[in-house]
Amino acid sequence: MIGYNIAISIIAIMFSIGGIILGIGYSINNRKMKEFGLEEIFQSAINGVILGVLFVSFMPNGLVSNSINNIVTSSSVSAECQGYMSGNYAICFAYNYLIGTNPVYIGNQTYPSLLTDSEKLLIPISIIYGTVSVISGLSINVIVASINFGNLLAPAITELGFIIRTILTAIMGIYVQASLLSIIASVAIPLILPIGIILRTFYPTRKLGGAIMAISIGLFGIFPLTYLFDARISSYFNSSLSGNNQTSQLNAGVGRLSGAISSISRSNSTTTKSILSTLSSDASSITSAFYSWVNGIIDALSLLIVQVFFLPIFSIILTIISIKELASILGSEVSLGKFDIF
């Protein structure tokens, strides 16, 4: 890798510079130069050790990569990996858990990706939203009275619109997380980590380099592993979301509402008695249809919000804590000021 080759060259240069400064310090008997030269030699040696350890650990089939892959395998989860993600099963699983086209395996069961679940939830709700909107625009004239469904169904339309916007926001959040994981898989170890090593070799940027190294390691190793924990949590509660019951309820609701629209439309050509009878039957049908899917919608949407927003926040917190600990080991410090965590 080019980054590692540059880091090796800079470490060798800094080791030589430290030796020169140390030699000059002894020659003129200057204590500060001797201490500075000795410190640079010591830091260059540490950087060389760190570079060697990181190269062996994060290279394909290295110690860390194999450890991450073994953790994923032993957790009984699996997914189909893209080429650039094949070296880190945790990133591969997390990416497919978010937007994969094929199901992921958790334990002995298969689960669709969060994107697939979101789309399955969005489509029937959008159909119902359109159906209710059409009904709200209908009016029926009964002798001297006019019945308009707009005011009656306005709250339902408002709530359905809010649900659709929430699902669309969740879909955007899913894509953002998947893109972040894709970027991490592509640049964390080949690019960001060598940059951190290079910066750590220079005295003025030593702490910055250590922080960048900690960030790259945390993003590559810790962050995707937290998605395994998130998926395990979700797998205990999402059977209704991933099963066929939810889809059946939604489709039943759509069908019954569509039938209600047809009967309302036909009622314009009937007698007053028939109109009142039809309205009563349609109201009962609409109410029954809403009850048949509203509980499932609430459960599915609540779980989706937890999976897309709350569990990733937990993942970010764990990753930040890990990065802070790694940074302290590497002689640096990562602080978020008043937003600091622990």
Side-chain angles (χ1 to χ4, degrees):
M1 299 181 186
I2 297 176
Y4 286 97
N5 293 333
I6 295 174
I8 292 172
S9 300
I10 293 177
I11 289 173
I13 292 172
M14 294 304 297
F15 192 89
S16 301
I17 291 174
I20 293 171
I21 294 175
L22 179 64
I24 295 173
Y26 272 106
S27 64
I28 63 176
N29 197 22
N30 186 301
R31 183 174 61 86
K32 290 185 177 181
M33 292 186 68
K34 287 190 290 186
E35 291 177 353
F36 182 80
L38 187 62
E39 176 67 17
E40 286 302 312
I41 292 175
F42 180 70
Q43 288 295 333
S44 297
I46 292 177
N47 289 334
V49 173
I50 292 174
L51 179 63
V53 171
L54 292 177
F55 182 78
V56 173
S57 300
F58 289 97
M59 65 182 297
N61 298 321
L63 179 62
V64 173
S65 300
N66 283 337
S67 298
I68 293 174
N69 295 343
N70 289 335
I71 291 173
V72 175
T73 303
S74 63
S75 299
S76 300
V77 298
S78 61
E80 295 185 7
C81 296
Q82 292 79 1
Y84 67 99
M85 295 183 181
S86 58
N88 188 326
Y89 292 171
I91 293 181
C92 171
F93 171 80
Y95 184 86
N96 285 276
Y97 169 72
L98 289 168
I99 65 170
T101 56
N102 296 318
V104 296
Y105 294 86
I106 305 176
N108 296 322
Q109 298 184 14
T110 60
Y111 295 90
S113 65
L114 295 185
L115 179 63
T116 302
D117 277 336
S118 301
E119 292 172 343
K120 287 182 179 178
L121 194 60
L122 177 64
I123 293 172
I125 293 178
S126 299
I127 296 174
I128 293 174
Y129 177 80
T131 303
V132 174
S133 298
V134 171
I135 295 175
S136 68
L138 296 176
S139 62
I140 300 176
N141 296 319
V142 183
I143 305 178
V144 296
S146 178
I147 301 175
N148 192 304
F149 295 94
N151 294 332
L152 179 64
L153 296 177
I157 293 174
T158 301
E159 293 303 319
L160 287 171
F162 173 76
I163 291 174
I164 290 174
R165 288 192 297 272
T166 301
I167 296 174
L168 291 175
T169 303
I171 290 175
M172 180 62 67
I174 291 170
Y175 272 110
V176 169
Q177 295 176 56
S179 297
L180 177 60
L181 286 167
S182 180
I183 292 172
I184 290 171
S186 301
V187 304
I189 299 304
L191 180 62
I192 299 178
L193 185 60
I195 289 175
I197 296 173
I198 292 170
L199 291 176
R200 197 183 185 282
T201 58
F202 296 105
Y203 178 77
T205 59
R206 187 157 292 154
K207 289 188 176 182
L208 175 61
I212 292 176
M213 291 168 63
I215 290 172
S216 64
I217 295 172
L219 291 178
F220 183 82
I222 306 300
F223 183 62
L225 283 176
T226 60
Y227 277 88
L228 272 70
F229 185 64
D230 295 347
R232 277 294 186 179
I233 293 176
S234 300
S235 67
Y236 289 107
F237 303 102
N238 69 353
S239 58
S240 61
L241 182 62
S242 60
N244 294 324
N245 293 336
Q246 181 65 37
T247 303
S248 299
Q249 290 177 4
L250 292 172
N251 291 335
V254 172
R256 297 176 73 175
L257 285 174
S258 299
I261 284 183
S262 299
S263 60
I264 287 175
S265 301
R266 291 194 301 269
S267 67
N268 286 317
S269 61
T270 61
T271 64
T272 301
K273 183 177 179 180
S274 297
I275 290 173
L276 295 176
S277 176
T278 301
L279 290 176
S280 176
S281 175
D282 292 338
S284 176
S285 178
I286 292 172
T287 302
S288 177
F290 267 82
Y291 275 121
S292 69
W293 60 267
V294 69
N295 290 331
I297 288 293
I298 293 173
D299 291 340
L301 185 61
S302 300
L303 181 58
L304 180 65
I305 291 173
V306 170
Q307 290 175 309
V308 177
F309 298 109
F310 288 94
L311 290 179
I313 290 174
F314 179 67
S315 298
I316 291 172
I317 292 173
L318 289 179
T319 304
I320 291 175
I321 295 173
S322 302
I323 289 173
K324 289 185 64 176
E325 296 300 322
L326 286 170
S328 63
I329 294 174
L330 295 171
S332 184
E333 181 180 356
V334 175
S335 178
L336 301 177
K338 62 180 179 179
F339 299 104
D340 215 348
I341 301 175
F342 301 111

